[in-house]
Amino acid sequence: MRVTQSMLSANSLRHIQNSYKNLGKLEEQLTTGKKVSRPSDDPVVAMKGMRYRSQVVEVEQFNRNLSEVYNWMDNGDAALDEVNSVMQRIRELTSQASNDSYETSQRQAIASEVKQLRDHLESIANTKVNNKYIFNGSDTSGKPVDLSKVDQEIDIATINEGNAKDYTLFAEDGTQLLWNDTSGAFIDSKGSKVEVPVTGEYVAKEVGAVSVNQRDVDIEVTKGVNLNVNITPQNVFSLDFFSDIGKLVTALESPETKGEDLSNFLGVLDGHVDNIISERAELGARYNRVEMVESRLSSQEIIAKSTMSENEDIDAEKTIIELTSQETLHRASLAVGSRIIQPSLIDFLR
């Protein structure tokens, strides 16, 4: 086979071009810090990288969700702690007033303070976080408690099918009935139709006096795992809760009330305090689980980012050595090429 000058020149130029290409690739890797800049560089690495990146983004989103979970739980726990303090103060005042040596004016002064504490409990029940009511179940845009409606009782006899939807019926045992247009009757929490007597068993309140929404607010903290971040409001801020304190105020303001009558309220207050403590304990148990989930997510994030880095990131020291070696080879290639391409016809005629 006859090797011509043009063949030597073409081969030399092709090798120099390949050398430039290798230099460019190594320079791009050092600049970006990544093994591949486009899928065509290494389809396998690119495909794995997409999966690893999705995993990292997913974990980061769950961490953001945890921040929202902590926000709800921290505010809920702080509110319950304040409610408990207020209830202890009301109990203390009730215990003082149950002493028959207290005059009517003194009990009325205590009634004024209890009334203010009751108003404060209403403001706690209507706590908002990020413009959301946290004690109204899944209805975060609706106000859960309105004392003006709690103190207003409506005669059940005045309720008819036309205005029934504007009222909620409450029984002493905590049963709550809502009007259902489909069945044309009041129904309980299980959706069962209930025949309501005209008097006696139930008390009618306007809708909004005390919220009856008990649906959980769930936030996803890991794939397929949702955690309830709110408390069950009816276990703390029930109609009985505010009504009982209202009855206490009325008793304190009445000159006919005896110490024994006020002492009976202590057991009622203790029952509400027990409900608050139980709900706070349940919230604390869920808080502990959130902390364990957070620890697990932190480990997953480290592993996911480490795996993604191993797949995508270059070994800087190794790449620098390869670039230096390639530069040396490229210079040698240019030197050889200059000797091959340099001769012309005049050089051969000499």
Side-chain angles (χ1 to χ4, degrees):
M1 176 180 175
R2 180 171 175 268
V3 179
T4 65
Q5 178 68 25
S6 61
M7 292 172 62
L8 291 173
S9 299
N11 283 335
S12 179
L13 290 173
R14 186 175 70 256
H15 293 312
I16 291 173
Q17 183 63 34
N18 289 336
S19 180
Y20 271 122
K21 183 178 179 180
N22 292 335
L23 278 173
K25 183 177 180 180
L26 290 169
E27 182 183 7
E28 186 176 38
Q29 288 180 349
L30 280 174
T31 302
T32 61
K34 303 295 181 182
K35 295 178 183 178
V36 297
S37 299
R38 57 192 68 83
S40 58
D41 292 341
D42 192 326
V44 175
V45 171
M47 181 181 66
K48 289 182 178 180
M50 292 176 65
R51 291 202 300 265
Y52 295 148
R53 282 181 177 275
S54 297
Q55 185 179 0
V56 170
V57 170
E58 186 180 70
V59 172
E60 290 175 345
Q61 180 59 55
F62 286 143
N63 277 323
R64 286 192 290 271
N65 290 356
L66 276 180
S67 297
E68 183 71 6
V69 171
Y70 277 125
N71 193 24
W72 273 77
M73 289 189 169
D74 286 339
N75 280 281
D77 184 68
L80 290 180
D81 181 57
E82 190 170 356
V83 171
N84 187 56
S85 297
V86 172
M87 291 301 294
Q88 294 298 335
R89 177 56 181 167
I90 292 176
R91 191 187 189 286
E92 179 184 340
L93 292 171
T94 303
S95 179
Q96 291 178 9
S98 63
N99 189 332
D100 283 326
S101 64
Y102 271 63
E103 299 178 355
T104 300
S105 60
Q106 291 175 308
R107 284 179 175 171
Q108 288 177 344
I110 291 176
S112 297
E113 182 175 351
V114 173
K115 190 182 297 184
Q116 291 298 318
L117 292 173
R118 183 171 180 251
D119 291 340
H120 184 56
L121 289 172
E122 179 193 20
S123 67
I124 297 174
N126 294 327
T127 298
K128 297 179 77 173
V129 176
N130 291 333
N131 206 33
K132 296 178 181 179
Y133 289 102
I134 64 174
F135 297 125
N136 197 18
S138 60
D139 183 16
T140 58
S141 61
K143 187 178 179 181
V145 177
D146 186 343
L147 279 185
S148 63
K149 295 180 180 180
V150 171
D151 294 332
Q152 180 186 48
E153 292 188 4
I154 298 95
D155 187 353
I156 294 180
T158 65
I159 299 175
N160 54 60
E161 188 172 340
N163 66 1
K165 64 181 179 180
D166 297 326
Y167 300 98
T168 304
L169 303 186
F170 297 89
E172 290 185 1
D173 62 359
T175 303
Q176 299 173 3
L177 306 181
L178 297 174
W179 180 260
N180 184 272
D181 288 327
T182 303
S183 62
F186 281 96
I187 61 172
D188 59 20
S189 59
K190 297 180 180 179
S192 301
K193 182 178 177 180
V194 178
E195 296 294 338
V196 182
V198 176
T199 58
E201 187 177 352
Y202 292 93
V203 174
K205 298 285 186 180
E206 278 190 66
V207 170
V210 175
S211 174
V212 295
N213 189 311
Q214 299 189 53
R215 294 182 179 178
D216 295 337
V217 177
D218 295 328
I219 296 178
E220 189 175 18
V221 291
T222 58
K223 198 166 186 178
V225 177
N226 296 310
L227 283 183
N228 175 22
V229 299
N230 65 329
I231 69 165
T232 303
Q234 282 299 306
N235 291 347
V236 179
F237 303 111
S238 63
L239 176 64
D240 288 341
F241 178 73
F242 290 101
S243 295
D244 287 340
I245 299 176
K247 292 175 182 177
L248 173 61
V249 172
T250 302
L252 287 168
E253 291 176 336
S254 173
E256 304 298 327
T257 302
K258 298 180 181 179
E260 183 181 354
D261 299 327
L262 293 175
S263 296
N264 293 333
F265 278 99
L266 295 177
V268 175
L269 295 175
D270 288 340
H272 291 303
V273 170
D274 288 342
N275 291 337
I276 295 168
I277 294 174
S278 296
E279 197 63 26
R280 193 179 181 191
E282 199 277 333
L283 179 64
R286 280 186 274 127
Y287 195 97
N288 290 337
R289 185 182 178 188
V290 172
E291 290 180 335
M292 289 188 288
V293 170
E294 181 183 30
S295 176
R296 180 184 174 192
L297 281 176
S298 297
S299 299
Q300 287 181 336
E301 184 176 14
I302 293 172
I303 294 172
K305 288 184 176 181
S306 176
T307 305
M308 184 180 71
S309 177
E310 290 177 2
N311 180 71
E312 296 182 0
D313 295 344
I314 62 170
D315 184 339
E317 293 81 358
K318 179 181 177 182
T319 304
I320 291 173
I321 293 173
E322 289 179 352
L323 178 62
T324 304
S325 300
Q326 187 61 43
E327 285 178 343
T328 303
L329 291 173
H330 183 68
R331 292 180 183 277
S333 179
L334 288 175
V336 172
S338 65
R339 292 179 177 276
I340 293 175
I341 300 174
Q342 183 180 18
S344 63
L345 181 59
I346 297 176
D347 293 318
F348 286 108
L349 293 175
R350 288 178 182 173

